Every structure is written in C-alpha cells, then in structure tokens.
Amino acid sequence: GQAGIKDFLLPSVSVTGSTGDSGQSDLTHGTAMVETILRSLSQAASDPAGSPVRILPVDIYGGSASTTTFEVVRGLYAAAEHGPAVVNLSLGSSGDSPLLRETVESLAKQGVLVVAAAGNEPVTNPTYPAAYPATLAVTAGDRSGQVAAYANRGTFVDLVAPGTSIVHFDAQTYLGTGTSYATAYITGAAAGLFTAAEGKNAAEVEAALRERYGARTPGP
C-alpha cells in the first residue's frame, strides 16, 4: 500500500526546477517503478519491513512526457551525491551521448551498479544508456523466461527479468508491462543482494544477478 511505500522513500530531488503536480491523482511511471522495486526487494529479503534499503526519487522530467540526455546526466549527478549502491534507469533512447556514457562510466568506477532498460521494441538496435558497457542492460522476459515478444533482444542485453508487474495505487490495481518494469525488478533484486550479505560490492552483486538472470545468447 501507499503507506508502506512512503516508509522506503527519501525526500524527492528535482533537477528540472519544476516538481510537476505534487498532488498526484494518476499513477505515474516513477510510482510504478518504486512499487515494482519494493515488490522485488520483498521477494529477495526475508524481512523487507526491517530492510535498510531506501529509494531516492530523482525527478528529471518535471511533469513532461520526455526529457533530455542533459537532464538524465544532471539526475545521475544528483543521485551520486547521496552515495547510492544501485541506480535505476527505466528509460532510454536511440541517441548515443558521450556525456551520458562518461557519466555512467564514472558511477561504475565509484562502485555504483547502474541498471538500465533495453527498450520495448522487438529489435536488436542499441538503446542508450543500456547499451553502454558500464550499465547492466535489462530486457523483459515472458513466463517461460524467454525474451518477451515486444522487447529488445540486442547483443548488448545483459539480463532478462519479469516484464510484468502488478501495481497498487489509489485503491486500484494496475498491470504494467515493459522493460522499465524488468529494470525495476532487477534494481530491487540488486538492493536485496547488497543488504543480504554485508560487504558485498557491485562486482559481486552483478555476478550474482548475471548468474540468475543472465541473458542466454542463442547459438548459430
């Protein structure tokens, strides 16, 4: 429920100068991602209520339907100031940006796991920032664990996770589908791994995620 979510949320940071409509009456993408992260975390943690995991929402949209690479970079810098273990990027575009590439590489070098969505088109074209080597690119799987019919299956894809999430908001239940949800699922799983074993670093968490959710590249 919403009260449960609030227990995990840190005060939101906005880099756009606009916070959008704070009295939100509709389910937003961000809220759906938070609930998906927490559901995944609850599966990974034996006692999610006592979990030290906290989510820092960083607004890079300001109420708009789209944003710029520059705002994504500003959001990453804002997140980095809080010392995150994992950064969730349930977003993407076909545009390659040297600045965005350098920013995710810098975060990775600092030991931050950057998880990004592969995209909701059944193509192999790269989606950024997911296609950068410094990120973990997540595509959506179907019930059998195969890449979902609608999802990107490029060689840059690292992980396959459930692409469907049940989200509760304002006494309603929604069914969300897409690689954004798969990415949020992996972020929650990563958060559980970081907190389950003291001292686990990003490389160890990544190895555990690859072992469990790693994309199988089909043979010739």
Side-chain angles (χ1 to χ4, degrees):
Q2 294 306 104
I5 280 184
K6 287 187 174 69
D7 294 338
F8 288 89
L9 287 181
L10 298 171
S12 180
V13 173
S14 175
V15 299
T16 64
S18 163
T19 54
D21 179 12
S22 56
Q24 99 188 49
S25 56
D26 297 320
L27 175 66
T28 65
H29 187 263
T31 300
M33 295 306 105
V34 166
E35 182 145 343
T36 304
I37 288 168
L38 291 177
R39 177 165 290 107
S40 174
L41 175 66
S42 72
Q43 292 172 3
S46 55
D47 179 24
S51 170
V53 171
R54 293 295 176 265
I55 297 173
L56 172 72
V58 180
D59 180 12
I60 59 171
Y61 287 89
S64 300
S66 62
T67 190
T68 64
T69 299
F70 185 63
E71 298 293 353
V72 177
V73 168
R74 288 180 66 196
L76 286 169
Y77 272 102
E81 288 177 1
H82 291 75
V86 56
V87 171
N88 183 86
L89 290 169
S90 286
L91 51 82
S93 80
S94 59
D96 186 359
S97 156
L99 180 61
L100 183 53
R101 178 191 287 262
E102 287 168 19
T103 305
V104 295
E105 283 174 356
S106 169
L107 280 170
K109 282 183 184 141
Q110 293 169 43
V112 179
L113 205 59
V114 183
V115 187
N120 298 328
E121 291 181 45
V123 295
T124 58
N125 305 350
T127 297
Y128 300 99
Y132 298 136
T135 69
L136 272 178
V138 186
T139 199
D142 59 21
R143 282 188 174 179
S144 66
Q146 303 300 308
V147 175
Y150 60 80
N152 195 316
R153 68 265 336 274
T155 55
F156 68 92
V157 169
D158 298 301
L159 307 175
V160 182
T164 303
S165 177
I166 295 168
V167 177
H168 304 285
F169 179 77
D170 202 20
Q172 307 253 3
T173 301
Y174 300 83
L175 187 66
T177 302
T179 60
S180 280
Y181 290 93
T183 303
Y185 182 94
I186 289 294
T187 296
L193 286 166
F194 271 114
T195 53
E198 290 300 316
K200 244 190 180 21
N201 63 30
E204 290 167 327
V205 169
E206 178 177 335
L209 290 170
R210 285 183 183 277
E211 187 176 330
R212 183 161 183 194
Y213 302 101
R216 309 278 181 265
T217 306

